[in-house]
Amino acid sequence: MDVLYFAWVRERIGLPREKIETEAKTVADLVAELRAREDRYDLAFSDLTALRVAVDQTLTDFDASLDGAREVAFFPPMTGG
């Protein structure tokens, strides 16, 4: 699965994207796996209220299923203007 990081999430993790193997069933499970990897992931995902997520380019919630997903993207909320 491709995992993409945008804006300050990318800066904290130090990568724009990575391919990972995961057994995660939901986005929240994936986040838990990532947080357990290293401190930089733990810091990036420490406040999920400050993050949005898209699965296969569709905005969704952290309880969304990853069944069949090819891509997950994490990014801060966007403002219009």
Side-chain angles (χ1 to χ4, degrees):
M1 168 182 309
D2 288 322
V3 180
L4 288 67
Y5 309 108
F6 294 94
W8 58 260
V9 184
R10 177 182 60 228
E11 292 170 13
R12 289 181 184 172
I13 292 174
L15 299 169
R17 70 183 313 140
E18 61 184 321
K19 270 202 179 305
I20 64 164
E21 296 289 328
T22 183
E23 297 296 322
K25 301 292 184 204
T26 66
V27 174
D29 294 340
L30 175 62
V31 168
E33 284 183 15
L34 292 170
R35 290 187 74 181
R37 281 180 154 189
E38 295 178 36
D39 288 345
R40 61 188 172 139
Y41 291 93
D42 191 38
L43 176 63
F45 293 107
S46 63
D47 181 8
L48 296 184
T49 64
L51 284 174
R52 298 296 177 262
V53 62
V55 175
D56 291 333
Q57 299 183 4
T58 300
L59 191 62
T60 191
D61 295 317
F62 286 87
D63 60 353
S65 172
L66 292 179
D67 187 38
R70 293 171 298 168
E71 178 186 276
V72 178
F74 296 100
F75 48 92
M78 296 170 272
T79 59

